[in-house]
Amino acid sequence: MPALDYPAPIRELILQMKSLPGIGQRSAERLVLWMMGRGHARAAELARALVQLEQRVGICSECGFFIERDSACGLCESDKRQKTVLCVVEQAADVLRLERSGAFSGLYHVLGGRLSPLDNITPSDLRIRELAARVPALGVEEVILALSADVEGEATSNYLADSLRPLGVKVTRLAQGMPAGGGLDHVDEMTLHHALSGRRAM
Amino acid sequence: MEKNGQGKTSLLEAACVLMRLQSPRTSTRSDLIRFGAQACVTEGAVGGRKLRVAQSPTARRVAVNDSVCPRAGDYLMQSARVVWMDHSDMNLARGGAEHRRRYLDFAAAQLFPEYLNALKSYERALRSRNFLLKRDAAISWRQVDAYGRILAEHGAVIRRCREDLIQRVQEPVTAAHLGLSAGAEPGAVSYLPGYPGENLEAALLEVRDSEARLRTTQVGVHRDDLALTIHGRPAGAFASEGQQRTLCLALKLAQARVLEEAQGEPPLLLIDDIFGELDKTRRQALLAYLPAHGQKVITTTFTDWASETGVGGLVYEVEDGQLKERGI
Ligand SMILES: [Zn+2]
């Protein structure tokens, strides 16, 4: 007789949960059992939310931030934003962090990560070609690089600065004061505000 | 004292890890965990503070006076400085340059708060740069140069610290060497930078052709070395084994002097099994030259020399991994 285990659908969901960042076997089990509470009502709610995520959320082909599918990008299409300054960030969450700091009113460009040859992440894995196309198309005068202050972030900044220089655009980066080794998620809004206003040319 | 293989070196190593969060012999932390064990906890007291290091195969937690330090740098500031001496110090004179760079790193990391971060970033950027040089048939220089600039930035910090360290160490090395060799042999040390000029980025541009051919980073602080001389001649090639041993001891004693001057108190000396291999004259000279104040932990397999030289202090015996106090 085989050893007793959960039915297959539960095992499958536990496997899915375990693939999420920061979730181990025991947390995965706990989450799945919680979802089966209230006569599977929680599972149904979660399933609905996941379907919505897949069906309704898209990515702006310009800036790379999230949009509701088939609607205009609240950032790129806004006429209140300064179109001659472009701020490059690693991930979508960084856009919100900078927005909350209130220090920036230009456009954003989400890179989708940073260069890391040892992890096999090359320039073609990032939205660098899109960036090089947007700069002349929008008539951008300054590109602000707001990437992490660790080795990979710095290397990506250096690479972007070298790639953008031939386009004749001014390239700056966040001021020192950013914690060494940290990304934007380690910084409070005040520090971010200072780092933006004290940015320096590359 | 102990019969061999009973764990006295592990005891000293544990003290070293507790103070500096690094072993004198390994760079990977999990090596410290007893084979088959899950984790390792080390505790001790220094200068009235209680230190604690808990190490699992994946994570390390450190605490001072029972409060956790999220940043290793803060912990290291509150801990003691350490000088480690063992038989492998001979490699300073006889071994490859990596042994001399490890000497620089171990001391500079304790003298300059900015050193360790610069070194880690430099090594990380160097790994990526070398990988990029090897990976593609046609090298992507724009990517390679993105890392070269990082090497230049951190390399400048590392060079400045190493230069400063060697400047401080030079005089005490010569003094200690004269003391240990009874005034007969002038020994000296100097710094040999691993790239020409002031700017590593410019130096890297100069060697582009050879990097394209050899596919690895040709200049930088990872190529730094020390020149050790006795009577003005390279110690590695021209000195006798005894002379080399004396010079290597002098390098470590000088490290202790420099740390003491910077810190205002002598470092903890961890001396693993070196007295047995010295002759009586050098042994006595070494004992006389050790900092008079400050704690010294000395291991040995036999104690005859200790009674002969009249060394004081407490004696413990290690047997089957257990520690017992014992009269001398
Ligand atoms: Zn957009």
Side-chain angles (χ1 to χ4, degrees), chain A residues 115 117-118 122-123 151-152 154-155 158-159 162-163, chain B residues 121 124 128 131-132 135 142-143 146-147 149-150 153:
Chain A
L115 293 177
L118 295 170
T122 66
V151 169
E152 280 73 29
E154 303 264 323
N158 291 340
Y159 181 85
D162 286 352
S163 306
Chain B
S121 299
R124 203 174 162 76
S128 292
F131 181 80
L132 285 167
R135 191 186 61 190
R142 184 173 286 170
Q143 281 186 76
Y147 287 93
R149 212 166 303 152
I150 297 172
E153 186 190 324

mmCIF file of all heavy atoms in Angstrom, chain A residues 115 117-118 122-123 151-152 154-155 158-159 162-163, chain B residues 121 124 128 131-132 135 142-143 146-147 149-150 153:
data_model
loop_
_atom_site.group_PDB
_atom_site.id
_atom_site.type_symbol
_atom_site.label_atom_id
_atom_site.label_comp_id
_atom_site.label_asym_id
_atom_site.label_seq_id
_atom_site.Cartn_x
_atom_site.Cartn_y
_atom_site.Cartn_z
ATOM 1 N N LEU A 115 22.003 43.782 -15.751
ATOM 2 C CA LEU A 115 22.993 42.882 -16.340
ATOM 3 C C LEU A 115 23.625 42.013 -15.264
ATOM 4 O O LEU A 115 23.929 42.491 -14.173
ATOM 5 C CB LEU A 115 24.097 43.699 -17.022
ATOM 6 C CG LEU A 115 23.687 44.502 -18.248
ATOM 7 C CD1 LEU A 115 24.882 45.298 -18.758
ATOM 8 C CD2 LEU A 115 23.135 43.592 -19.324
ATOM 9 N N PRO A 117 26.178 38.797 -16.050
ATOM 10 C CA PRO A 117 26.678 37.748 -16.938
ATOM 11 C C PRO A 117 26.735 36.381 -16.252
ATOM 12 O O PRO A 117 26.437 35.371 -16.882
ATOM 13 C CB PRO A 117 28.083 38.232 -17.325
ATOM 14 C CG PRO A 117 28.358 39.454 -16.531
ATOM 15 C CD PRO A 117 27.077 39.959 -15.984
ATOM 16 N N LEU A 118 27.078 36.377 -14.962
ATOM 17 C CA LEU A 118 27.205 35.087 -14.279
ATOM 18 C C LEU A 118 25.852 34.397 -14.131
ATOM 19 O O LEU A 118 25.776 33.182 -13.982
ATOM 20 C CB LEU A 118 27.861 35.275 -12.903
ATOM 21 C CG LEU A 118 29.314 35.780 -12.946
ATOM 22 C CD1 LEU A 118 29.805 36.162 -11.569
ATOM 23 C CD2 LEU A 118 30.235 34.738 -13.569
ATOM 24 N N THR A 122 21.912 39.073 -20.166
ATOM 25 C CA THR A 122 22.683 39.879 -21.116
ATOM 26 C C THR A 122 21.852 41.090 -21.538
ATOM 27 O O THR A 122 20.660 41.163 -21.238
ATOM 28 C CB THR A 122 23.028 39.035 -22.361
ATOM 29 O OG1 THR A 122 21.798 38.746 -23.032
ATOM 30 C CG2 THR A 122 23.697 37.729 -21.980
ATOM 31 N N PRO A 123 22.460 42.047 -22.246
ATOM 32 C CA PRO A 123 21.704 43.240 -22.661
ATOM 33 C C PRO A 123 20.416 42.910 -23.409
ATOM 34 O O PRO A 123 19.423 43.625 -23.283
ATOM 35 C CB PRO A 123 22.702 43.976 -23.551
ATOM 36 C CG PRO A 123 24.032 43.586 -23.019
ATOM 37 C CD PRO A 123 23.891 42.164 -22.565
ATOM 38 N N VAL A 151 27.242 45.982 -7.374
ATOM 39 C CA VAL A 151 28.100 45.774 -8.540
ATOM 40 C C VAL A 151 27.277 45.624 -9.825
ATOM 41 O O VAL A 151 27.577 46.263 -10.834
ATOM 42 C CB VAL A 151 29.020 44.545 -8.321
ATOM 43 C CG1 VAL A 151 29.709 44.149 -9.615
ATOM 44 C CG2 VAL A 151 30.058 44.852 -7.261
ATOM 45 N N GLU A 152 26.215 44.811 -9.784
ATOM 46 C CA GLU A 152 25.417 44.589 -10.997
ATOM 47 C C GLU A 152 24.708 45.873 -11.429
ATOM 48 O O GLU A 152 24.654 46.187 -12.616
ATOM 49 C CB GLU A 152 24.386 43.481 -10.788
ATOM 50 C CG GLU A 152 24.945 42.073 -10.900
ATOM 51 C CD GLU A 152 25.797 41.693 -9.710
ATOM 52 O OE1 GLU A 152 25.535 42.234 -8.610
ATOM 53 O OE2 GLU A 152 26.723 40.882 -9.858
ATOM 54 N N GLU A 154 25.641 48.984 -10.787
ATOM 55 C CA GLU A 154 26.638 49.930 -11.293
ATOM 56 C C GLU A 154 27.086 49.541 -12.701
ATOM 57 O O GLU A 154 27.240 50.399 -13.571
ATOM 58 C CB GLU A 154 27.874 49.933 -10.386
ATOM 59 C CG GLU A 154 27.582 50.255 -8.942
ATOM 60 C CD GLU A 154 27.810 51.706 -8.619
ATOM 61 O OE1 GLU A 154 28.754 52.284 -9.172
ATOM 62 O OE2 GLU A 154 27.031 52.252 -7.825
ATOM 63 N N ALA A 155 27.297 48.235 -12.898
ATOM 64 C CA ALA A 155 27.743 47.785 -14.218
ATOM 65 C C ALA A 155 26.665 48.101 -15.260
ATOM 66 O O ALA A 155 26.970 48.551 -16.363
ATOM 67 C CB ALA A 155 28.046 46.285 -14.198
ATOM 68 N N ASN A 158 26.808 51.772 -16.022
ATOM 69 C CA ASN A 158 27.946 52.078 -16.886
ATOM 70 C C ASN A 158 27.654 51.684 -18.334
ATOM 71 O O ASN A 158 27.953 52.432 -19.268
ATOM 72 C CB ASN A 158 29.203 51.333 -16.414
ATOM 73 C CG ASN A 158 29.728 51.867 -15.093
ATOM 74 O OD1 ASN A 158 29.402 52.992 -14.700
ATOM 75 N ND2 ASN A 158 30.522 51.072 -14.397
ATOM 76 N N TYR A 159 27.079 50.500 -18.483
ATOM 77 C CA TYR A 159 26.776 50.011 -19.829
ATOM 78 C C TYR A 159 25.756 50.915 -20.522
ATOM 79 O O TYR A 159 25.921 51.272 -21.691
ATOM 80 C CB TYR A 159 26.236 48.575 -19.743
ATOM 81 C CG TYR A 159 25.914 47.975 -21.089
ATOM 82 C CD1 TYR A 159 26.906 47.360 -21.845
ATOM 83 C CD2 TYR A 159 24.621 48.044 -21.603
ATOM 84 C CE1 TYR A 159 26.614 46.817 -23.093
ATOM 85 C CE2 TYR A 159 24.326 47.499 -22.857
ATOM 86 C CZ TYR A 159 25.327 46.892 -23.585
ATOM 87 O OH TYR A 159 25.039 46.362 -24.822
ATOM 88 N N ASP A 162 27.328 54.263 -21.581
ATOM 89 C CA ASP A 162 28.121 54.121 -22.810
ATOM 90 C C ASP A 162 27.235 53.944 -24.036
ATOM 91 O O ASP A 162 27.570 54.406 -25.122
ATOM 92 C CB ASP A 162 29.068 52.919 -22.686
ATOM 93 C CG ASP A 162 30.236 53.216 -21.760
ATOM 94 O OD1 ASP A 162 30.378 54.393 -21.348
ATOM 95 O OD2 ASP A 162 31.005 52.287 -21.442
ATOM 96 N N SER A 163 26.096 53.241 -23.847
ATOM 97 C CA SER A 163 25.209 52.998 -24.991
ATOM 98 C C SER A 163 24.448 54.257 -25.393
ATOM 99 O O SER A 163 24.117 54.436 -26.563
ATOM 100 C CB SER A 163 24.195 51.899 -24.648
ATOM 101 O OG SER A 163 24.856 50.749 -24.205
ATOM 102 N N SER B 121 33.339 43.855 -3.558
ATOM 103 C CA SER B 121 32.808 44.386 -4.820
ATOM 104 C C SER B 121 33.809 44.164 -5.944
ATOM 105 O O SER B 121 33.440 43.810 -7.067
ATOM 106 C CB SER B 121 32.509 45.878 -4.684
ATOM 107 O OG SER B 121 31.552 46.087 -3.679
ATOM 108 N N ARG B 124 33.786 40.552 -7.026
ATOM 109 C CA ARG B 124 32.560 40.229 -7.760
ATOM 110 C C ARG B 124 32.634 40.773 -9.189
ATOM 111 O O ARG B 124 32.318 40.070 -10.147
ATOM 112 C CB ARG B 124 31.379 40.861 -7.014
ATOM 113 C CG ARG B 124 30.091 40.201 -7.304
ATOM 114 C CD ARG B 124 28.964 40.761 -6.440
ATOM 115 N NE ARG B 124 27.706 40.389 -7.055
ATOM 116 C CZ ARG B 124 27.189 39.171 -6.980
ATOM 117 N NH1 ARG B 124 27.797 38.251 -6.259
ATOM 118 N NH2 ARG B 124 26.074 38.892 -7.592
ATOM 119 N N SER B 128 32.838 38.656 -12.951
ATOM 120 C CA SER B 128 31.977 38.932 -14.104
ATOM 121 C C SER B 128 32.818 39.320 -15.312
ATOM 122 O O SER B 128 32.555 38.887 -16.439
ATOM 123 C CB SER B 128 30.999 40.066 -13.777
ATOM 124 O OG SER B 128 30.078 39.629 -12.812
ATOM 125 N N PHE B 131 34.565 36.376 -16.800
ATOM 126 C CA PHE B 131 33.570 35.534 -17.458
ATOM 127 C C PHE B 131 33.223 36.098 -18.838
ATOM 128 O O PHE B 131 33.157 35.368 -19.827
ATOM 129 C CB PHE B 131 32.324 35.438 -16.568
ATOM 130 C CG PHE B 131 31.247 34.568 -17.135
ATOM 131 C CD1 PHE B 131 31.310 33.187 -17.022
ATOM 132 C CD2 PHE B 131 30.153 35.136 -17.774
ATOM 133 C CE1 PHE B 131 30.315 32.382 -17.544
ATOM 134 C CE2 PHE B 131 29.149 34.337 -18.299
ATOM 135 C CZ PHE B 131 29.229 32.959 -18.185
ATOM 136 N N LEU B 132 33.026 37.424 -18.901
ATOM 137 C CA LEU B 132 32.695 38.067 -20.183
ATOM 138 C C LEU B 132 33.835 37.936 -21.183
ATOM 139 O O LEU B 132 33.605 37.752 -22.383
ATOM 140 C CB LEU B 132 32.376 39.550 -19.962
ATOM 141 C CG LEU B 132 31.020 39.859 -19.330
ATOM 142 C CD1 LEU B 132 30.961 41.302 -18.866
ATOM 143 C CD2 LEU B 132 29.890 39.568 -20.312
ATOM 144 N N ARG B 135 33.574 34.325 -22.459
ATOM 145 C CA ARG B 135 32.320 33.773 -22.974
ATOM 146 C C ARG B 135 32.176 33.842 -24.497
ATOM 147 O O ARG B 135 31.812 32.876 -25.141
ATOM 148 C CB ARG B 135 31.143 34.502 -22.317
ATOM 149 C CG ARG B 135 29.811 33.830 -22.581
ATOM 150 C CD ARG B 135 28.673 34.664 -22.046
ATOM 151 N NE ARG B 135 28.619 35.967 -22.690
ATOM 152 C CZ ARG B 135 27.838 36.955 -22.279
ATOM 153 N NH1 ARG B 135 27.069 36.785 -21.237
ATOM 154 N NH2 ARG B 135 27.836 38.113 -22.909
ATOM 155 N N ARG B 142 31.995 46.723 -24.577
ATOM 156 C CA ARG B 142 31.164 47.665 -23.834
ATOM 157 C C ARG B 142 30.738 47.043 -22.492
ATOM 158 O O ARG B 142 30.736 47.709 -21.471
ATOM 159 C CB ARG B 142 29.948 48.073 -24.662
ATOM 160 C CG ARG B 142 29.115 49.122 -23.959
ATOM 161 C CD ARG B 142 28.018 49.651 -24.847
ATOM 162 N NE ARG B 142 28.531 50.543 -25.882
ATOM 163 C CZ ARG B 142 27.810 50.985 -26.905
ATOM 164 N NH1 ARG B 142 26.557 50.614 -27.044
ATOM 165 N NH2 ARG B 142 28.330 51.810 -27.786
ATOM 166 N N GLN B 143 30.399 45.742 -22.526
ATOM 167 C CA GLN B 143 30.044 45.067 -21.267
ATOM 168 C C GLN B 143 31.276 44.897 -20.378
ATOM 169 O O GLN B 143 31.226 45.099 -19.171
ATOM 170 C CB GLN B 143 29.438 43.695 -21.553
ATOM 171 C CG GLN B 143 27.988 43.751 -21.979
ATOM 172 C CD GLN B 143 27.402 42.343 -22.097
ATOM 173 O OE1 GLN B 143 27.099 41.699 -21.119
ATOM 174 N NE2 GLN B 143 27.275 41.874 -23.323
ATOM 175 N N ALA B 146 32.138 48.073 -18.687
ATOM 176 C CA ALA B 146 31.203 48.437 -17.623
ATOM 177 C C ALA B 146 31.730 47.907 -16.283
ATOM 178 O O ALA B 146 31.559 48.541 -15.234
ATOM 179 C CB ALA B 146 29.820 47.878 -17.910
ATOM 180 N N TYR B 147 32.393 46.744 -16.314
ATOM 181 C CA TYR B 147 32.981 46.182 -15.089
ATOM 182 C C TYR B 147 34.354 46.758 -14.806
ATOM 183 O O TYR B 147 34.758 46.872 -13.661
ATOM 184 C CB TYR B 147 33.031 44.657 -15.183
ATOM 185 C CG TYR B 147 31.655 44.057 -15.034
ATOM 186 C CD1 TYR B 147 30.874 43.776 -16.131
ATOM 187 C CD2 TYR B 147 31.122 43.841 -13.765
ATOM 188 C CE1 TYR B 147 29.592 43.267 -15.991
ATOM 189 C CE2 TYR B 147 29.846 43.336 -13.611
ATOM 190 C CZ TYR B 147 29.087 43.056 -14.735
ATOM 191 O OH TYR B 147 27.817 42.577 -14.577
ATOM 192 N N ARG B 149 35.299 49.776 -15.091
ATOM 193 C CA ARG B 149 35.146 51.031 -14.342
ATOM 194 C C ARG B 149 34.905 50.737 -12.863
ATOM 195 O O ARG B 149 35.360 51.470 -11.991
ATOM 196 C CB ARG B 149 33.983 51.832 -14.935
ATOM 197 C CG ARG B 149 34.171 53.320 -14.835
ATOM 198 C CD ARG B 149 33.195 54.058 -15.727
ATOM 199 N NE ARG B 149 33.304 53.646 -17.116
ATOM 200 C CZ ARG B 149 32.289 53.689 -17.996
ATOM 201 N NH1 ARG B 149 31.101 54.105 -17.618
ATOM 202 N NH2 ARG B 149 32.469 53.308 -19.238
ATOM 203 N N ILE B 150 34.189 49.643 -12.577
ATOM 204 C CA ILE B 150 33.948 49.266 -11.181
ATOM 205 C C ILE B 150 35.244 48.772 -10.533
ATOM 206 O O ILE B 150 35.550 49.108 -9.386
ATOM 207 C CB ILE B 150 32.851 48.182 -11.111
ATOM 208 C CG1 ILE B 150 31.546 48.767 -11.650
ATOM 209 C CG2 ILE B 150 32.668 47.683 -9.689
ATOM 210 C CD1 ILE B 150 30.443 47.766 -11.809
ATOM 211 N N GLU B 153 37.255 51.822 -9.629
ATOM 212 C CA GLU B 153 36.733 52.549 -8.468
ATOM 213 C C GLU B 153 37.126 51.844 -7.159
ATOM 214 O O GLU B 153 37.681 52.460 -6.248
ATOM 215 C CB GLU B 153 35.209 52.602 -8.619
ATOM 216 C CG GLU B 153 34.484 53.421 -7.596
ATOM 217 C CD GLU B 153 32.973 53.186 -7.733
ATOM 218 O OE1 GLU B 153 32.480 53.028 -8.880
ATOM 219 O OE2 GLU B 153 32.325 53.114 -6.689
#
